[in-house]
Amino acid sequence: MKLNYKRTILIGLAFLSISAFWQMYDNIIPLILKNSFGLGETVTGIIMAADNILALFLLPLFGLLSDRTDTKIGKRMPFILAGTVLSVIFLLILPAADRGRNLTLFIIVLFLTLLSMGLYRSPSVALMPDLTPKPLRSKGNAVINLMGAVGGVYSLIMIQMLVGKGTTPDYFPLFLSIALLMVLCVAILFFTVKEKEAAREMPPEPETENGSAALGETKSDISVPETGKGSALPPDVKRSLIFMLSSIALWFIAYNAVTTAFSRYATHVWGMENGGYANCLMVATVAAIVSYIPIGAISSRIGRKRTILIGVALLAFCYLCAAFYNNYHVTMNLFFGIIGFAWAAINVNSFPMVVEIASSGDVGKYTGYYYTFSMAAQVITPILSGYLLEHISYRTLFPYSVFFSVMAFFTMLMVRHGDSRPGKKSSVLESFDVDD
């Protein structure tokens, strides 16, 4: 059984567009709120948490609704198309509200933009496991993450090219470049991937019993027994799921604090101006892109869980090192490169460990669980870290992320299901990720 790389790359275009949007959102929206409208760090943190508050309700809801949807173009595609169209419309109104210094309009349109993005995020991610046999979903997830990283690099390049000098530049060219990318990606996806036809071509899932291996793979002792749609999980599997979701929340608390506040931290602490902070983030994103093959090699030998633990430990180490820098130095790029590798190691392996527990009919629901916990973390962290930045010091940012990374490491140690140690890869392309 081989992964259809062409189709998986095309499916990944939706995630590419989503990642491009969020990379821009995390870097630019806080600057607009601070520089154009003069909002403090705590209020900015509360507004930046709004997307995650909405996501707590929207992502599980639309994941479940798309599970139950049946149209001529599929069950995920209607949500992807509608969400993209609405998001692009509202996205292009935001820079006009910024230029007019109309805070009320900006907040209303920002809310509508986030609502539209929430409409199709879970369906977009669930499309890959829908159209990928269960033993190949980790490979598929690596390709999806690779596509997302490309979207992030695109946004960072556009920020460097299109964000002008001064505290209140014109952001319309940047927002337009993101909107055009979103439209192009989803249009290509719609015209090249026929969701219903591809779903009909899916082979039946391999039978497993009590976690035994399928398709000649070598399973570890912490695999997951097969469950039917809507079945109650065995207590030990449920306990592992809870610890897994808790770990996801904790490392997102750590990571999102840095990504949300980094543009302001780099400006205030390191004295970087005119989008120069994007260099560090680009190093991290490019490092993630080139890391998939070595991550696949590592995972194939030691399993997903240990690969994730290595990634979390590296995050904590790099955040600790960054805390000692008083000014930006070129050596900081090394640590951001390691952060990119570590985050890729975590993301490639964590989502498949969650949906490993799901039956084919519940993928959207379990995708919603994954995003509920990751978004809950991102509700908490902009507010909490923003309060610390404003009322204590910007210097609290990296120690804050170290603490929650260490917590994630210990909760991940308690996970006992969803891991695997696949057999030898038959090609270098298969090293993009690991088998189920």
Side-chain angles (χ1 to χ4, degrees):
M1 186 180 295
K2 299 292 184 182
L3 180 67
N4 186 331
Y5 281 96
K6 179 181 178 181
R7 186 171 68 195
T8 307
I9 289 170
L10 292 171
I11 291 171
L13 288 171
F15 192 61
L16 187 154
S17 70
I18 291 170
S19 298
F21 171 87
W22 290 113
Q23 183 72 263
M24 180 274 297
Y25 177 88
D26 285 339
N27 282 278
I28 301 302
I29 298 301
L31 294 179
I32 292 176
L33 294 173
K34 178 177 172 59
N35 298 329
S36 296
F37 300 113
L39 301 183
E41 298 291 352
T42 303
V43 176
T44 297
I46 293 172
I47 294 174
M48 291 302 293
D51 66 304
N52 305 307
I53 295 172
L54 286 172
L56 286 174
F57 305 98
L58 295 179
L59 300 189
L61 173 63
F62 288 116
L64 183 61
L65 287 177
S66 64
D67 278 343
R68 299 175 178 178
T69 298
D70 184 16
T71 72
K72 291 182 179 180
I73 59 174
K75 59 182 181 179
R76 314 294 184 190
M77 201 65 73
F79 293 88
I80 295 172
L81 294 177
T84 301
V85 170
L86 291 172
S87 297
V88 165
I89 291 171
F90 296 126
L91 179 61
L92 294 177
I93 300 175
L94 285 174
D98 172 44
R99 260 185 299 194
R101 300 296 184 269
N102 189 330
L103 179 59
T104 301
L105 176 62
F106 187 87
I107 296 299
I108 291 173
V109 175
L110 185 64
F111 173 81
L112 294 173
T113 305
L114 298 176
L115 193 65
S116 302
M117 292 297 297
L119 177 64
Y120 79 107
R121 189 166 183 173
S122 285
S124 294
V125 176
L127 185 60
M128 183 278 292
D130 279 347
L131 304 182
T132 305
K134 195 167 186 178
L136 303 177
R137 285 176 182 170
S138 286
K139 292 189 186 75
N141 194 50
V143 175
I144 298 300
N145 277 276
L146 181 63
M147 298 295 287
V150 171
V153 169
Y154 173 86
S155 282
L156 293 172
I157 292 173
M158 291 300 104
I159 289 172
Q160 287 187 312
M161 292 176 57
L162 300 177
V163 174
K165 296 181 179 181
T167 57
T168 56
D170 181 9
Y171 291 110
F172 180 77
L174 173 63
F175 281 59
L176 178 61
S177 70
I178 302 301
L180 291 175
L181 177 70
M182 293 171 68
V183 170
L184 179 63
C185 286
V186 173
I188 294 173
L189 169 63
F190 176 72
F191 287 111
T192 57
V193 177
K194 304 302 180 184
E195 181 185 345
K196 268 209 152 179
E197 294 178 11
R200 282 194 293 266
E201 296 170 0
M202 282 281 292
E205 290 188 358
E207 295 291 335
T208 60
E209 183 178 357
N210 299 324
S212 59
L215 302 177
E217 293 176 342
T218 304
K219 290 280 184 178
S220 74
D221 58 351
I222 51 177
S223 56
V224 178
E226 192 76 15
T227 58
K229 181 178 180 180
S231 303
L233 295 176
D236 57 333
V237 179
K238 185 175 181 180
R239 187 164 51 250
S240 282
L241 177 63
I242 291 171
F243 276 115
M244 184 73 215
L245 294 173
S246 299
S247 301
I248 290 166
L250 288 166
W251 63 56
F252 267 99
I253 287 175
Y255 185 78
N256 188 251
V258 174
T259 58
T260 301
F262 184 70
S263 58
R264 289 165 287 159
Y265 183 94
T267 300
H268 284 269
V269 178
W270 292 347
M272 303 178 74
E273 298 179 347
N274 303 326
Y277 56 85
N279 288 329
C280 291
L281 299 177
M282 188 178 299
V283 168
T285 306
V286 172
I289 290 175
V290 301
S291 294
Y292 286 101
I293 289 177
I295 285 170
I298 292 169
S299 300
S300 67
R301 291 179 178 274
I302 65 175
R304 289 198 191 98
K305 178 182 173 180
R306 290 180 181 175
T307 304
I308 289 174
L309 288 171
I310 290 170
V312 175
L314 288 174
L315 282 185
F317 171 75
C318 291
Y319 293 151
L320 181 63
C321 291
F324 291 98
Y325 278 72
N326 296 317
N327 299 287
Y328 170 76
H329 189 275
V330 67
T331 55
M332 195 64 230
N333 289 329
L334 171 63
F335 293 112
F336 272 85
I338 297 173
I339 287 171
F341 172 86
W343 192 241
I346 293 167
N347 267 350
V348 164
N349 293 295
S350 56
F351 176 65
M353 288 185 74
V354 174
V355 296
E356 174 89 6
I357 299 171
S359 69
S360 59
D362 289 330
V363 168
K365 182 173 74 173
Y366 278 74
T367 300
Y369 289 163
Y370 176 89
Y371 279 111
T372 295
F373 276 77
S374 65
M375 291 301 170
Q378 294 172 80
V379 169
I380 296 168
T381 202
I383 299 172
L384 179 57
S385 63
Y387 180 86
L388 295 175
L389 293 175
E390 182 175 7
H391 295 284
I392 299 180
S393 169
Y394 274 91
R395 291 286 188 178
T396 60
L397 178 61
F398 286 111
Y400 171 97
S401 295
V402 170
F403 173 78
F404 285 103
S405 296
V406 171
M407 292 289 291
F409 184 89
F410 285 110
T411 55
M412 191 64 203
L413 286 174
M414 304 301 295
V415 176
R416 295 289 184 268
H417 296 82
D419 201 357
S420 63
R421 291 194 185 101
K424 185 178 180 181
K425 306 296 181 182
S426 61
S427 70
V428 69
L429 286 176
E430 292 187 6
S431 294
F432 271 115
D433 206 329
V434 294
D435 295 317
D436 282 342

